[in-house]
């Protein structure tokens, strides 16, 4: 029988943890993505084709992918570098720079024969239900010249970093060479390999032989393990051991998160969302905040509450129209604690 563990978490524990983040120098690596949202009103079936016709209402663009992760981190860390690629064709550099928080220092290469990645989604303006999506990207791996340029940027940024967060969306930036370079030079490496429509079945965590911390959703972990129905905790423990990772977090949507720490076991934290507008970007927010918590070796209970509060903020807005707010997390912590013991379901 598993023993229950009392968290004993108080406001001061969480607020002290946030203070630790302000001392960290962080580098975020991954694909820069522009998320476009096109809002429409449905008119009806085309008179001549079997398709739904909609009237354009408006559109907006957000900084997504590694841009969003860097922005989330910048709310907490002392300094943030972003190492990424823009397209040599249609770079949209001015927009990318404008989408970054002032605390983020960007470092770009220009990926040959590629646009900057744009993921365009068409939504019903009233319900916000998605009707379809169109990706503009070249997901071929970096050529040898671009790999060398990217590794040079890593040589410039990684030696001065305390934490390195890789947000790998599987669109060709993280090749065997750039992964090896990152692993060799990162003092603390956090990894996420996102499963999406463009890479499903071809992009898994196994690309990374080692990491200090990982953060995936349940489907991504199961895909990597090629295990659809097996015990999730067993898969998580084996994955952590295979990568020689110190800890790992799995996000489970409305069921919250499961955290595993080597030598300590498992800790569950409930979802803290008050409303759900859209789920895009929630995993990136959890990745950003829990990576800092894992690097600081905070307790699993504090890591869980901070990560799920970050995710709760993100699902309450459309896409990456806003980044995580430290002030809002502090406010929620003061509202919730000391009642945290009623929410925490930590088990050894």
């Amino acid at each position: 029988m598993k023993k229950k563990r009392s968290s004993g978490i108080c406001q001061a524990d969480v607020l002290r943890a946030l203070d630790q983040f302000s001392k960290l120098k962080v580098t975020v690596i991954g694909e820069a993505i522009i998320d476009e949202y096109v809002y429409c009103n449905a008119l009806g079936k085309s008179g001549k084709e079997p398709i739904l016709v909609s009237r354009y209402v408006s559109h907006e663009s957000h900084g997504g992918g590694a841009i969003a992760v860097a922005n989330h981190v910048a709310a907490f860390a002392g300094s943030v570098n972003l190492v990424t690629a823009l397209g040599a064709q249609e770079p949209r550099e001015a927009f990318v720079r404008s989408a970054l928080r002032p605390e983020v220092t960007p470092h770009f290469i220009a990926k040959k024969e590629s646009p900057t990645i744009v993921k365009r989604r068409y939504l019903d303006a009233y319900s916000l239900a998605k009707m379809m999506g169109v990706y503009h990207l070249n997901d071929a791996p970096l050529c040898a010249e671009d790999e060398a340029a990217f590794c040079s940027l890593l040589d410039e940024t990684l030696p001065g970093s305390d934490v390195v967060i890789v947000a790998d969306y599987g669109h060709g930036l993280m090749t065997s060479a750039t992964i090896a370079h990152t692993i060799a030079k990162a003092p603390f490496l956090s990894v996420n390999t996102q499963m999406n429509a463009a890479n499903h079945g071809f992009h898994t965590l196994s690309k990374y032989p080692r990491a200090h911390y990982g953060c995936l959703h349940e489907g991504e972990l199961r895909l990597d393990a090629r295990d659809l129905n097996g015990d999730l905790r067993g898969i998580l423990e084996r994955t952590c051991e295979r990568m020689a990772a110190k800890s790992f977090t799995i996000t489970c949507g409305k069921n919250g998160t499961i955290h595993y720490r080597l030598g300590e076991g498992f800790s569950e934290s409930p979802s803290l969302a008050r409303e759900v507008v859209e789920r895009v970007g929630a995993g990136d927010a959890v990745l950003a905040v829990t990576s800092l918590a894992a690097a600081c070796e905070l307790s699993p209970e504090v890591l869980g509450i901070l990560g799920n509060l970050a995710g709760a903020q993100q699902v309450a807005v459309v896409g990456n129209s806003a980044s995580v707010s430290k002030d809002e997390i502090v406010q929620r912590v003061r509202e919730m604690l000391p009642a945290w013991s009623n929410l925490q379901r930590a088990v050894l």
Side-chain angles (χ1 to χ4, degrees), residues 32 34 85-93 96 109-118 136-138 146:
I34 299 173
L86 303 182
Q89 304 164 355
E90 303 176 46
R92 298 186 63 170
E93 182 175 345
V96 171
I109 66 163
K111 184 180 178 182
K112 291 179 175 55
E113 299 180 5
S114 304
T116 293
I117 299 168
V118 176
H136 295 251
L137 78 167
N138 171 13
D146 287 347

Side-chain angles (χ1 to χ4, degrees), residues 5 9 14 17 21 213 248-251 256-261 267-273 285-286 289-291 293-294 298-312 329 333 336 340 343-346:
R5 179 172 65 198
I9 298 297
V14 183
F21 296 167
Y213 174 71
F248 217 105
T249 296
I250 296 302
T251 61
T257 57
I258 300 174
H259 182 74
Y260 175 76
R261 179 168 291 176
S267 176
E268 295 183 13
S269 297
S271 169
L272 300 174
V286 176
V289 176
T290 60
S291 295
L298 302 184
S299 73
E301 294 86 358
V302 172
L303 181 148
I305 190 173
L306 290 176
N308 286 350
L309 283 175
I329 284 184
V333 167
M336 292 169 54
W340 169 242
L343 292 170
Q344 181 68 21
R345 306 192 307 274

Side-chain angles (χ1 to χ4, degrees), residues 26 28 68-80 165 288-289 292:
V26 182
V28 175
V69 175
N71 283 338
H72 297 321
V73 172
F76 304 92
S79 66
V80 184
I165 302 174
V289 176
L292 305 184

Side-chain angles (χ1 to χ4, degrees), residues 9-307:
I9 298 297
C10 65
Q11 287 186 23
D13 294 322
V14 183
L15 299 182
R16 276 196 299 269
L18 292 174
D19 287 340
Q20 289 186 55
F21 296 167
S22 65
K23 302 177 178 67
L24 295 175
K25 298 176 181 178
V26 182
T27 295
V28 175
I29 305 169
E31 288 95 343
I33 299 172
I34 299 173
D35 291 323
E36 291 188 350
Y37 287 76
V38 182
Y39 300 96
C40 308
N41 286 329
L43 295 176
K45 176 186 172 299
S46 166
K48 298 180 180 179
E49 304 287 346
I51 60 171
L52 177 67
V53 176
S54 299
R55 176 186 287 120
Y56 167 85
V57 175
S58 64
H59 72 277
E60 60 187 15
S61 299
H62 311 150
I67 300 171
V69 175
N71 283 338
H72 297 321
V73 172
F76 304 92
S79 66
V80 184
N81 286 308
L82 171 63
V83 184
T84 187
L86 303 182
Q89 304 164 355
E90 303 176 46
R92 298 186 63 170
E93 182 175 345
F95 173 81
V96 171
R97 288 186 180 276
S98 70
L100 288 167
R101 290 175 59 123
E103 301 89 345
V104 179
T105 303
H107 306 264
F108 304 131
I109 66 163
K111 184 180 178 182
K112 291 179 175 55
E113 299 180 5
S114 304
T116 293
I117 299 168
V118 176
K119 297 187 177 181
R120 183 175 297 124
R121 299 169 178 93
Y122 293 84
L123 292 77
D124 175 69
Y126 179 75
S127 67
L128 300 183
K130 294 184 180 72
M131 297 185 289
M132 67 173 294
V134 178
Y135 287 3
H136 295 251
L137 78 167
N138 171 13
D139 55 3
L142 297 180
C143 68
E145 185 179 347
D146 287 347
E147 272 188 337
F150 194 74
C151 288
S152 292
L153 289 183
L154 297 178
D155 287 338
E156 293 175 16
T157 55
L158 297 191
S161 302
D162 301 309
V163 183
V164 177
I165 302 174
V166 175
D168 185 348
Y169 300 91
H171 301 319
L173 183 68
M174 300 307 294
T175 64
S176 297
T178 59
I179 289 171
H181 214 75
T182 300
I183 290 174
K185 293 182 176 293
F188 182 93
L189 178 61
S190 170
V191 174
N192 168 267
T193 50
Q194 188 193 94
M195 178 173 64
N196 55 56
N199 67 35
H200 189 70
F202 297 94
H203 177 59
T204 67
L205 185 66
S206 298
K207 291 171 61 177
Y208 293 81
R210 294 191 307 280
H212 298 91
Y213 174 71
C215 184
L216 304 178
H217 73 58
E218 179 179 349
E220 291 162 345
L221 181 71
R222 290 189 178 279
L223 177 65
D224 181 64
R226 305 299 191 270
D227 191 338
L228 182 61
N229 299 305
D231 174 62
L232 183 60
R233 291 185 175 213
I235 297 170
L236 177 54
E237 185 173 9
R238 290 191 296 273
T239 302
C240 202
E241 290 174 353
R242 185 193 79 220
M243 299 185 69
K246 296 179 180 178
S247 59
F248 217 105
T249 296
I250 296 302
T251 61
C252 304
K254 66 181 180 181
N255 295 318
T257 57
I258 300 174
H259 182 74
Y260 175 76
R261 179 168 291 176
L262 192 64
E264 296 184 25
F266 297 90
S267 176
E268 295 183 13
S269 297
S271 169
L272 300 174
R274 289 170 166 170
E275 63 172 328
V276 178
V277 174
E278 190 189 29
R279 293 176 295 170
V280 168
D284 293 334
V286 176
L287 168 70
V289 176
T290 60
S291 295
L292 305 184
C296 292
E297 298 185 347
L298 302 184
S299 73
E301 294 86 358
V302 172
L303 181 148
I305 190 173
L306 290 176

